[in-house]
Amino acid sequence: MSGASEISPKIKRMAAVLDLIALVCRIVTGIALVVLTVIFGWLVFGRYVLNATPTWVEQVALLLVMLIAFLGAAVGVHDNTHLSVSILRTSVPKRIRTICVVISDIAMAGFGGLMLWYGAQLTVFKWGSLIPLIQVPEGLRSLPLTIGGGLILLFSLGHLIRLFSSVDERRDSIE
C-alpha cells in the first residue's frame, strides 16, 4: 500500500467528496430518526391524551423509515460496515483476498446500479398518484431506494478506484 504522501490529489479529492456525501447522509438519517421519534411521541400523546389519533403519522413514518434504511445502507457500504461474510476472505492468502474484495465491490456496485435503475423507474411510475392522508406523491416512497442505490453504486466504485490505485484503507478487507 502506498503512503499517504503518494496518494494522487484526484484520489484525495474523490475520497473527500465521498466522505462529505456520507456525512450528509448520516446527518439526514439522524434528523429523520429524531423526527420519527417525535412524531410517534405525538401519535401516543394524540391517541391517549387528546383522544384524537393523528392519522398522518403512519404514512410519514413509512417514508422516514425508507429514508433511514436506504441512506443508512449506503453509508454502511461507504464505511465498509455492511453485512458481509468475511470468514473465507480472512482465511485465504492476500492475493485471493483481494480478488474476493474486488468481486464483492463489483457485486455491490451492480446491486446499487440495479436499485438506482429500477428505483428510478418505480419513482417515475408512482409519481402521479398521491399517498393517502398526507397528499404527497407516491413516488416519494421509492425515491430513497433510488438515491440509496445510486450512493451504493458511487461508494462501491470509489472503493474499487482506491483499491486499484493501491490506497484502499479498508483494514478488515485488505491487510
Side-chain angles (χ1 to χ4, degrees):
M1 187 177 305
S2 299
S5 61
E6 299 176 34
I7 298 175
S8 134
K10 289 180 181 179
I11 300 292
K12 284 183 180 178
R13 217 176 359 236
M14 178 199 71
V17 168
L18 294 178
D19 289 345
L20 179 63
I21 292 169
L23 176 63
V24 169
C25 289
R26 281 187 194 91
I27 291 169
V28 168
T29 56
I31 291 169
L33 191 57
V34 169
V35 170
L36 185 67
T37 304
V38 168
I39 65 171
F40 270 109
W42 177 250
L43 174 77
V44 171
F45 179 78
R47 180 176 292 160
Y48 295 108
V49 176
L50 301 177
N51 201 24
T53 303
T55 55
W56 55 268
V57 171
E58 183 180 342
Q59 296 301 324
V60 173
L62 289 171
L63 291 173
L64 291 172
V65 166
M66 293 287 288
L67 184 69
I68 293 165
F70 287 111
L71 289 186
V75 170
V77 170
H78 176 268
D79 294 346
N80 200 39
T81 57
H82 58 82
L83 180 63
S84 68
V85 180
S86 60
I87 189 163
L88 171 69
R89 188 176 62 224
T90 56
S91 63
V92 296
K94 182 178 181 181
R95 181 167 167 78
I96 296 172
R97 186 177 316 141
T98 301
I99 292 169
C100 290
V101 169
V102 168
I103 291 169
S104 174
D105 286 339
I106 290 171
M108 290 299 291
F111 184 71
L114 289 172
M115 287 172 58
L116 172 64
W117 178 256
Y118 289 109
Q121 288 181 343
L122 183 61
T123 301
V124 169
F125 176 73
K126 298 295 275 178
W127 201 263
S129 56
L130 297 177
I131 298 174
L133 304 175
I134 58 175
Q135 302 304 308
V136 297
E138 185 79 42
L140 285 177
R141 290 189 201 264
S142 56
L143 190 59
L145 168 72
T146 307
I147 294 169
L151 291 173
I152 288 171
L153 172 63
L154 183 67
F155 292 147
S156 297
L157 291 175
H159 285 315
L160 285 167
I161 290 168
R162 284 190 295 261
L163 179 65
F164 289 124
S165 300
S166 300
V167 292
D168 195 344
E169 297 176 349
R170 297 176 291 172
R171 293 285 173 222
D172 64 327
S173 298
I174 315 250
E175 295 178 324

